[in-house]
Amino acid sequence: MAAKLETRPLGKNGPEVPRLGFGTMGLSAFYGPPKPDSERLALLDKAYEFGETFWDSAALYNDSETLLGKWLSTNQDKRPHLFLATKFGAEFEGPKMIIDSSRARCRMSCERSLQRLGVDTIDLLYAHRLDANIPVEETVQEMADLRAEGKIRYLGLSEVSAATLRRACAVHPIAAVQVEYSPFSLEIESSQTELLRTARELGVAVVAYSPLSRGILSGRVKSRRDFPEGDLRLLLPRFAEGNFERNLELVERLRAFSERKECTVSQLVLAWLLAQGDDIFPIPGTTRPEALAENVGALQVCLSDDEVKQIRTLVDEVEVSGGRYGEASLKSCFVDTVPFKG
């Protein structure tokens, strides 16, 4: 029987889901060769056992949906207790990643995800990335049609601008917007994006991916040598020689704070994100059972208002070196789409 974690509504009038979700990307993609299926399936067992039952996947994540489908095929009785999210609109065709948020791609990808997962309904379907040349209204209308057909339950968007989110909500309620959010990635709070303020105005939850900034904020990553060959992080500006070492300064400041709180750096960071509001849902990923247990332990770390402010001061005092993505990939973040002429 799964443990019961603290839950909150995912958006205005949304479903109750665990405050802490589980990002499955690293099990299948981007962080070096995947582990054997036996280890990956055992980790999913552990996530379920801990009550971390808000699972996040995507068409982009290599065999992620297929892996979840394999787990579900032998755990059919547990399906009602899971909240499954996946994404369409960004995927690999050969070595190249394409972005296609057209109505046709949305429908095709949803049907394929249903087949891979082996389920009748996806709980939350996100547009992973939007093609700026396709009006968001067209994409959301197709998602709404899929919902009317019973193929999805809730709609989400990822890495969109505040204006695009507002336009999407005018077509159909959006339960959640997924965006990178951590002490190293605070763009959604800025006056330039206005995304956090807009999401709150519209009653849209924020699902925070990479809440530990791809592991650097866990306190365990010490050097570029810690990454296996083929690891995406070796290509990201934030992890480049020089930048990486400077960025460890904030980690060490947070480590000193976490030691006073008698928790790990990961737990402190996740607790701080959770303290930003009941509408924030971090989805850390890991391939290690001990890290999974550690992350869930963040829900037991209580921060006073003063401690939340102290951590904010630490974060504000350190200038993060290097962007979260390269220049080309950043163009697909906080996207504004062309106007709808229908």
Side-chain angles (χ1 to χ4, degrees):
M1 184 68 181
K4 183 69 173 174
L5 296 187
E6 177 186 356
T7 64
R8 289 291 184 275
L10 191 74
K12 183 170 59 178
N13 303 319
E16 290 276 335
V17 301
R19 289 298 314 279
L20 200 69
F22 179 47
T24 68
M25 184 184 82
L27 288 177
S28 297
F30 300 118
Y31 295 153
K35 293 184 176 182
D37 275 8
S38 57
E39 291 185 38
R40 297 191 294 168
L41 292 169
L43 192 76
L44 294 175
D45 286 337
K46 190 64 69 175
Y48 183 86
E49 178 186 320
F50 285 151
E52 201 172 1
T53 53
F54 175 11
W55 291 0
D56 183 87
S57 185
L60 183 68
Y61 303 160
N62 293 342
D63 74 342
S64 175
E65 292 178 327
T66 303
L67 180 72
L68 298 190
K70 189 172 183 178
W71 187 89
L72 285 163
S73 69
T74 57
N75 292 277
Q76 294 181 19
D77 59 318
K78 296 172 182 173
R79 170 65 184 103
H81 307 294
L82 287 174
F83 189 81
L84 290 176
T86 193
K87 313 179 199 74
F88 75 94
E91 58 186 287
F92 287 108
E93 289 193 349
K96 185 178 179 182
M97 189 183 91
I98 60 118
I99 294 176
D100 182 355
S101 52
S102 66
R103 295 187 71 145
R105 175 68 64 167
C106 172
R107 180 165 290 274
M108 181 277 290
S109 189
C110 178
E111 297 284 3
R112 188 182 56 192
S113 294
L114 288 167
Q115 184 176 21
R116 287 173 173 173
L117 292 165
V119 297
D120 297 324
T121 307
I122 295 163
D123 295 309
L124 172 62
L125 181 68
Y126 295 96
H128 201 166
R129 293 291 189 272
L130 293 178
D131 182 337
N133 296 309
I134 297 173
V136 68
E137 289 86 353
E138 292 186 14
T139 306
V140 173
Q141 186 56 62
E142 188 65 29
M143 296 168 77
D145 291 348
L146 290 167
R147 182 179 183 275
E149 295 166 23
K151 293 176 179 177
I152 66 176
R153 292 193 175 95
Y154 297 95
L155 282 61
L157 299 173
S158 179
E159 290 288 1
V160 298
S161 71
T164 296
L165 178 60
R166 191 178 297 280
R167 287 166 54 193
C169 287
V171 177
H172 188 280
I174 301 297
V177 61
Q178 188 170 137
V179 65
E180 186 165 349
Y181 190 18
S182 77
F184 274 0
S185 299
L186 298 170
E187 293 90 343
I188 73 163
E189 298 179 354
S190 73
S191 58
Q192 284 75 36
T193 70
E194 287 285 324
L195 186 57
L196 181 57
R197 185 191 64 77
T198 302
R200 285 179 165 160
E201 176 193 331
L202 298 169
V204 179
V206 172
V207 174
Y209 76 82
S210 295
L212 300 175
S213 198
R214 304 184 188 278
I216 192 171
L217 284 165
S218 71
R220 286 188 295 270
V221 179
K222 304 291 189 182
S223 162
R224 284 170 55 87
R225 293 187 296 274
D226 292 336
F227 302 134
E229 184 178 351
D231 194 301
L232 171 70
R233 290 168 289 191
L234 293 170
L235 304 176
L236 298 179
R238 195 158 287 172
F239 293 87
E241 293 285 357
N243 288 344
F244 184 74
E245 291 77 13
R246 286 191 291 272
N247 289 331
L248 289 176
E249 179 187 344
L250 175 58
V251 179
E252 291 312 306
R253 291 191 183 196
L254 292 170
R255 187 190 306 280
F257 201 107
S258 70
E259 288 172 355
R260 295 197 298 272
K261 286 294 292 182
E262 298 183 338
C263 66
T264 67
V265 180
S266 291
Q267 289 171 337
L268 185 74
V269 170
L270 292 172
W272 184 77
L273 269 179
L274 291 165
Q276 302 309 304
D278 284 351
D279 55 351
I280 308 297
F281 296 81
I283 52 167
T286 185
T287 61
R288 301 183 305 115
E290 57 270 29
L292 189 69
E294 179 183 341
N295 292 343
V296 172
L299 293 167
Q300 306 304 316
V301 177
C302 297
L303 298 175
S304 68
D305 290 345
D306 188 54
E307 288 172 327
V308 171
K309 291 176 183 176
Q310 290 175 40
I311 295 170
R312 173 71 68 169
T313 299
L314 289 178
V315 171
D316 289 344
E317 285 176 350
V318 175
E319 183 177 349
V320 178
S321 297
R324 56 194 178 106
Y325 292 115
E327 189 175 336
S329 295
L330 281 175
K331 291 178 181 177
S332 66
C333 299
F334 300 115
V335 167
D336 280 308
T337 71
V338 296
F340 181 58
K341 297 180 180 179

